[in-house]
């Protein structure tokens, strides 16, 4: 079997899909994208695919090393996201070739299902109490929300109080035992992160996410020594080598590699297994489309330390198109009592509605994240 060609589809709300073709008629799908830089990643995919046309798609480990190691310059969000989508498509082909789900080829399932959480609020969260109550009424047992708007390096306690008011509203709405993930989104710098984390402790969050920017991960030491809340990070880390240092430092409790950013199925399986050796949990990042989520679930199935999965159904970014619009069988992602079953179909376990993909690719998108500025006019972290 040989790889004969591929197509890229820029589809709403902000995704890029890859269709990989073989001479035996087996098709694989991947989702290579950086949110806001979809076309840039698409160009990287085109460059990487030059070396894969005519090759056997089943030699995934060799292809991964070719894509990563054969270039003098490597890593980073663009190249690793391109590798991720190609890797997903290769695994999809391999699973279909052997008529087995990817998790079976990775050693088999360690679980039948995994807990999922639902996003509430938006970039500037409001009315989160009612949103949380509605989500819990649909069976979810965990939610996640942006904790803050923009914060200066040192900002006012008024903004801290506003965050606490929102978290209190959620906790009051859902009771004491529903999990609340609070995403700092890298918007909080070290001086304020310690204050905010300490103020949040009474609400017993499930975790605080990206309490500082990943380039400032050394600051996690002070935060970890300051509070008892589990610390999560990793959505903007792109290889096992980046996760190596944070695991060795010992100040993170939950890693969040993204299956469309951190090297795909091949690399994220290794990253999560590395974390298991440090007694660190995994909650893969996935505010993206159905191919990315299916890839996450295939890896989650095989990793003992994966405990919850992000998913994008109803997330505030999904305007006009949503997670289930691009697949034939919506029930493959049926959320029941806060869990989703591991897909059992061959490959990634989902069937892409190619007619709908082509229709929506004619519309396309030019999604960009908002640009925020502080009152003084300086650029704020989004």
């Amino acid at each position: 079997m040989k790889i004969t060609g591929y197509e890229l589809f820029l589809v709403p709300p902000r995704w890029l899909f890859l269709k990989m073709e073989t001479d035996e008629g087996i098709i694989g799908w991947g989702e290579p994208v950086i949110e806001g830089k979809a076309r840039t990643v698409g160009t990287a995919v085109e460059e990487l695919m030059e070396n894969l046309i005519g090759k056997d798609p089943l030699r995934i480990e060799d292809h991964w090393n070719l894509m990563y190691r054969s270039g003098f310059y490597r890593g980073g969000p663009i190249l690793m996201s391109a590798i991720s989508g190609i890797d997903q498509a290769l695994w999809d082909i391999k699973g279909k070739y052997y008529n087995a789900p990817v998790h079976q080829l990775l050693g088999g399932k360690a679980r039948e299902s995994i807990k999922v959480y639902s996003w509430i609020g938006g970039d500037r969260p409001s009315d989160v109490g009612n949103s949380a109550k509605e989500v819990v009424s649909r069976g979810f047992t965990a939610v996640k929300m942006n904790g803050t708007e923009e914060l200066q390096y040192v900002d006012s306690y008024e903004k801290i109080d506003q965050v606490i008011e929102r978290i209190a509203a959620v906790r009051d709405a859902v009771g004491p035992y529903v999990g609340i993930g609070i995403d700092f989104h890298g918007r909080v710098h070290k001086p304020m992160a310690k204050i905010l984390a300490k103020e949040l402790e009474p609400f017993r969050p499930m975790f605080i996410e990206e309490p500082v920017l990943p380039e400032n991960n050394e600051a996690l030491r002070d935060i970890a020594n300051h509070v008892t809340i589990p610390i999560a990070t990793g959505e903007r880390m792109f290889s096992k080598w980046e996760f190596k240092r944070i695991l060795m430092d010992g100040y993170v409790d939950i890693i969040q590699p993204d299956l469309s950013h951190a090297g795909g199925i091949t690399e994220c399986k290794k990253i999560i297994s590395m974390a298991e050796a440090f007694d660190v949990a995994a909650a893969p990042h996935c505010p993206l489309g159905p191919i990315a989520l299916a890839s996450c679930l295939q890896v989650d199935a095989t990793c003992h330390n994966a405990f919850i999965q992000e998913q994008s159904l109803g997330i505030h970014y999904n305007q006009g198109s949503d997670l289930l619009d691009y697949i034939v069988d919506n029930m493959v992602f049926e959320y029941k009592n806060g869990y989703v079953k591991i897909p059992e179909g061959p490959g990634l376990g989902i069937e892409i509605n190619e007619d709908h993909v082509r229709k929506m690719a004619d519309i396309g998108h030019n999604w960009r994240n908002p640009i925020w500025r502080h009152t003084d006019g300086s650029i704020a972290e989004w």
Side-chain angles (χ1 to χ4, degrees):
M1 184 165 56
K2 297 184 186 304
I3 300 168
T4 56
Y6 67 94
E7 290 182 82
L8 289 165
F9 302 95
L10 194 73
V11 295
R14 56 177 191 163
W15 304 330
L16 182 68
F17 292 170
L18 165 67
K19 176 188 177 185
M20 190 181 295
E21 301 166 336
T22 68
D23 60 354
E24 295 194 13
I26 299 176
I27 301 299
W29 290 88
E31 196 168 331
V33 66
I34 276 287
E35 301 90 303
K37 296 290 187 290
R39 289 181 177 85
T40 308
V41 176
T43 298
V45 170
E46 292 170 355
E47 292 175 343
L48 291 170
M49 286 299 299
E50 290 177 10
N51 289 323
L52 295 186
I53 299 298
K55 302 289 179 62
D56 178 1
L58 303 183
R59 295 189 60 184
I60 297 175
E61 192 71 32
D62 185 63
H63 296 328
W64 197 98
N65 282 289
L66 171 70
M67 291 187 288
Y68 183 85
R69 297 181 188 275
S70 65
F72 185 77
Y73 298 101
R74 58 188 68 171
I78 302 302
L79 290 176
M80 294 305 289
S81 296
I83 289 173
S84 297
I86 294 171
D87 182 81
Q88 292 166 2
L90 290 170
W91 277 106
D92 197 25
I93 289 170
K94 189 162 190 167
K96 291 171 180 175
Y97 180 82
Y98 288 109
N99 194 32
V102 168
H103 64 73
Q104 195 68 28
L105 304 180
L106 294 175
K109 290 186 295 184
R111 59 174 47 83
E112 298 298 325
S113 62
I114 190 165
K115 184 185 286 189
V116 289
Y117 62 76
S118 181
W119 266 89
I120 58 172
D123 275 344
R124 297 184 181 277
S126 61
D127 198 27
V128 285
N130 287 332
S131 296
K133 186 179 293 186
E134 190 274 329
V135 163
V136 171
S137 74
R138 289 190 277 119
F140 288 94
T141 58
V143 300
K144 190 170 86 170
M145 59 182 285
N146 281 317
T148 74
E149 299 185 359
E150 61 268 48
L151 285 177
Q152 277 279 18
Y153 284 82
V154 176
D155 216 314
S156 72
Y157 278 88
E158 179 183 8
K159 289 189 178 180
I160 298 293
D161 289 343
Q162 290 169 353
V163 175
I164 299 307
E165 183 179 345
R166 286 191 290 267
I167 303 304
V170 173
R171 181 54 78 205
D172 288 345
V174 301
Y177 302 123
V178 167
I180 305 174
I182 304 171
D183 191 354
F184 285 27
H185 217 257
R187 296 170 183 172
V188 188
H189 296 276
K190 180 182 174 181
M192 301 302 293
K194 291 188 295 183
I195 296 169
L196 183 54
K198 194 68 173 178
E199 294 279 350
L200 289 171
E201 270 194 305
F203 301 99
R204 298 196 293 180
M206 179 170 58
F207 56 76
I208 53 174
E209 177 175 335
E210 263 195 350
V212 292
L213 289 163
E215 52 262 44
N216 299 325
N217 273 341
E218 69 280 355
L220 295 178
R221 176 191 60 197
D222 292 342
I223 298 169
N225 289 331
H226 191 57
V227 298
T228 58
I229 303 170
I231 295 173
T233 195
E235 69 184 69
R236 287 188 274 188
M237 299 168 64
F238 306 108
S239 71
K240 65 177 78 72
W241 295 281
E242 292 188 29
F243 280 91
K244 175 177 68 172
R245 173 51 57 192
I246 198 170
L247 290 170
M248 290 174 64
D249 287 344
Y251 299 116
V252 67
D253 303 295
I254 302 161
I255 60 162
Q256 299 172 301
D258 189 306
L259 272 284
S260 280
H261 299 338
I265 290 169
T266 298
E267 184 75 344
C268 288
K269 168 67 174 172
K270 295 174 182 178
I271 291 168
I272 296 173
S273 294
M274 280 173 55
E276 183 184 358
F278 291 87
D279 207 21
V280 169
H285 182 252
C286 189
L288 293 169
I291 303 168
L293 178 58
S295 299
C296 287
L297 295 176
Q298 294 296 331
V299 172
D300 290 335
T302 70
C303 294
H304 188 266
N305 54 328
F307 80 102
I308 199 165
Q309 177 60 56
E310 180 173 26
Q311 53 82 36
S312 75
L313 187 63
I315 200 171
H316 48 286
Y317 304 121
N318 293 357
Q319 301 296 319
S321 289
D322 212 328
L323 179 69
L324 302 180
D325 296 342
Y326 292 99
I327 58 176
V328 172
D329 180 12
N330 290 351
M331 299 304 288
V332 73
F333 294 141
E334 182 184 15
Y335 305 135
K336 192 170 183 179
N337 298 323
Y339 284 76
V340 63
K341 289 186 176 179
I342 306 301
E344 292 289 351
L348 296 179
I350 59 172
E351 182 180 353
I352 296 296
N353 185 339
E354 188 172 333
D355 289 341
H356 187 69
V357 168
R358 292 185 179 279
K359 174 184 173 183
M360 299 309 290
D362 288 339
I363 298 171
H365 70 82
N366 191 38
W367 189 87
R368 297 289 186 268
N369 64 253
I371 297 173
W372 288 1
R373 289 183 182 271
H374 295 294
T375 304
D376 65 5
S378 62
I379 290 290
E381 298 287 346
W382 169 70

